[in-house]
Amino acid sequence: MRQILAVAAGLAILATSACSAPAPPRSAAPSATPTGPATLPAPTGSHSIGTTALYLKDGSRPDPWNLDAKARELKVTLWYPTARHDGQRASYMTPKESELLLKGSKIASAPYDTLSKTRTNAIEDAEPTGKRLPLVVLSPGFTKPMSTLTSLAEDLASRGYVVAGIDHTYESYATTFPDGRVAECLACDSNSDPGFGAGLVQGRATDVSFVLDQLPAKWDGSDRTDRSRIAMVGQSIGGSSAMATMLEDPRVRAGVDMDGTAYARIPKSGFSRPFMFLGSAQHVSGGPAPTWDRDWKLLTGWKRWIVLTGAEHQSFTDTPLLSDALGIKPLPGILPATRAAELTRTYVAAFLDQHLKGRRQPLLDGPSSRYPEAKFCPATCAQS
């Protein structure tokens, strides 16, 4: 499989970081005229979606990035089924968060508040409904706020999951707290340090365990979740953190790494809980990002390794869906944004349905004529 060209330079900047998966070759394309606010694709499940935010403080440990903070503060965004069908739609991010994200990503092709106008599908603070719902933890890429995985979170909630998305404070360009403070990316000053990626995923594993500890007491809707059915899904360093978390916390039964370099080291004795790699062409067997080859041999339970033809690093996030609003034109050969979102939602949901709901998914057994972009590794996706 030949290496896939990445999207236009502005969109490419959104993708790169020292601890993300290695970036494929990139080439610029002309920018386009911004089209106005983006609208996230409609969820595919049968439920309406509610969302709310929690703010948690872990007084047992200082913040690893802010030496003046004696406690670790986290914002957790929850998405869940609701019986309501109308109401105030949740904001995607604040104007200040949009500004900091675009400035940090060096994107000046659209007004800095553009992303704050993105239209979502979830009803703000709606009452949750349902019983014994599986819980999915989401973790975003380095420098990216949790909002960049909103399309996936909304879709999972519409399918009957409770989703807990974590903003890992000081690891993204902006996290806003209720008192108006905006935490910027202090970790960005350290991302070239030796061992940075390994330390980052270990810290995120601690964040996840703390959130799982706190949810029953901090969210009124937590009695609707089934604490015996928890999975974790993440993109880039968030995907890397899924395995790191599972190695530390047995409550997380299954995990998905979306295009993240594997930093946590699986013991030589192996790892038996279900795990899926879902990535771009840089993660083909024998390709330039060899950590999946290494870990594949140590996964002793149910496992899948799927590469999407035409995908690039941000194809598993909302970023391509926002490119028109930002005036960024993808290059030819890149998986179209709506198709990338469809594939990501479909394969992640199939994995979760099989391992948290006990519903066998033939889609995960091998190549599909409906989704020919999905190549199953290592047999059908080796580098050529």
Side-chain angles (χ1 to χ4, degrees):
M1 181 185 296
R2 66 178 180 84
Q3 192 75 330
I4 303 298
L5 288 175
V7 294
L11 192 57
I13 293 169
L14 274 170
T16 56
S17 74
C19 60
S20 69
R26 302 186 182 277
S27 179
S31 61
T33 302
T35 60
T39 299
L40 296 183
T44 60
S46 60
H47 300 280
S48 297
I49 315 154
T51 186
T52 194
L54 303 178
Y55 297 88
L56 308 178
K57 182 179 288 189
D58 185 357
S60 69
R61 57 183 173 130
D63 192 279
W65 309 114
N66 184 352
L67 299 180
D68 295 326
K70 303 305 180 185
R72 177 71 164 159
E73 294 181 84
L74 296 171
K75 177 185 176 183
V76 180
T77 305
L78 297 165
W79 291 266
Y80 45 83
T82 182
R84 286 184 60 183
H85 298 287
D86 54 20
Q88 178 67 40
R89 302 292 161 167
S91 63
Y92 188 71
M93 61 177 67
T94 69
K96 185 63 174 179
E97 289 167 343
S98 175
E99 176 186 350
L100 291 172
L101 177 58
L102 295 187
K103 285 182 175 179
S105 303
K106 297 181 174 58
I107 294 177
S109 53
Y112 281 133
D113 66 348
T114 294
L115 296 183
S116 69
K117 300 175 183 178
T118 301
R119 302 184 183 99
T120 71
N121 299 284
I123 301 169
E124 191 171 15
D125 295 325
E127 183 74 17
T129 190
K131 295 180 180 179
R132 296 186 57 78
L133 302 175
L135 173 65
V136 181
V137 177
L138 284 188
S139 183
F142 185 58
T143 76
K144 305 303 180 294
M146 181 55 232
S147 53
T148 57
L149 295 179
T150 297
S151 174
L152 176 59
E154 289 185 339
D155 192 63
L156 291 175
S158 78
R159 295 171 181 253
Y161 291 92
V162 173
V163 180
I166 303 175
D167 273 292
H168 302 275
T169 313
Y170 302 116
E171 296 172 20
S172 72
Y173 287 126
T175 302
T176 303
F177 288 100
D179 59 6
R181 286 175 298 132
V182 179
E184 299 187 36
C185 189
L186 299 182
C188 290
D189 297 332
S190 304
N191 70 348
S192 60
D193 293 351
F196 176 79
L200 192 69
V201 299
Q202 191 60 47
R204 289 198 175 195
T206 304
D207 286 348
V208 173
S209 291
F210 172 69
V211 169
L212 293 180
D213 289 343
Q214 292 292 303
L215 272 183
K218 301 298 184 180
W219 182 45
D220 291 342
S222 62
D223 60 342
R224 300 185 181 276
T225 63
D226 182 351
R227 304 282 294 178
S228 70
R229 295 189 292 165
I230 300 174
M232 181 171 174
V233 179
Q235 187 267 342
S236 191
I237 202 69
S240 311
S241 302
M243 177 55 71
T245 300
M246 292 177 73
L247 289 169
E248 298 292 331
D249 196 325
R251 291 175 293 184
V252 183
R253 284 179 40 180
V256 180
D257 178 350
M258 300 189 299
D259 217 47
T261 298
Y263 289 101
R265 298 308 295 267
I266 299 173
K268 292 182 179 180
S269 58
F271 185 82
S272 62
R273 273 173 274 163
F275 202 82
M276 183 170 75
F277 293 118
L278 180 65
S280 61
Q282 61 193 328
H283 284 295
V284 296
S285 181
T291 59
W292 289 11
D293 280 288
R294 180 198 69 203
D295 286 1
W296 181 254
K297 302 169 186 175
L298 297 171
L299 297 175
T300 59
W302 189 101
K303 59 184 180 180
R304 290 295 182 271
W305 175 359
I306 300 172
V307 165
L308 302 183
T309 302
E312 57 93 32
H313 192 51
Q314 293 297 314
S315 293
F316 309 94
T317 75
D318 295 347
T319 301
L321 298 168
L322 307 173
S323 59
D324 285 347
L326 293 173
I328 296 170
K329 184 178 179 181
L331 286 174
I334 298 302
L335 198 60
T338 53
R339 183 63 168 176
E342 179 186 6
L343 288 161
T344 299
R345 288 169 155 192
T346 298
Y347 278 94
V348 170
F351 173 86
L352 296 171
D353 283 352
Q354 179 153 321
H355 297 292
L356 294 189
K357 294 184 177 180
R359 300 174 183 171
R360 183 177 172 276
Q361 300 293 309
L363 179 67
L364 300 175
D365 292 341
S368 163
S369 59
R370 185 176 180 183
Y371 303 109
E373 300 94 335
K375 309 300 181 184
F376 282 66
C377 302
T380 65
C381 76
Q383 186 181 41
S384 59

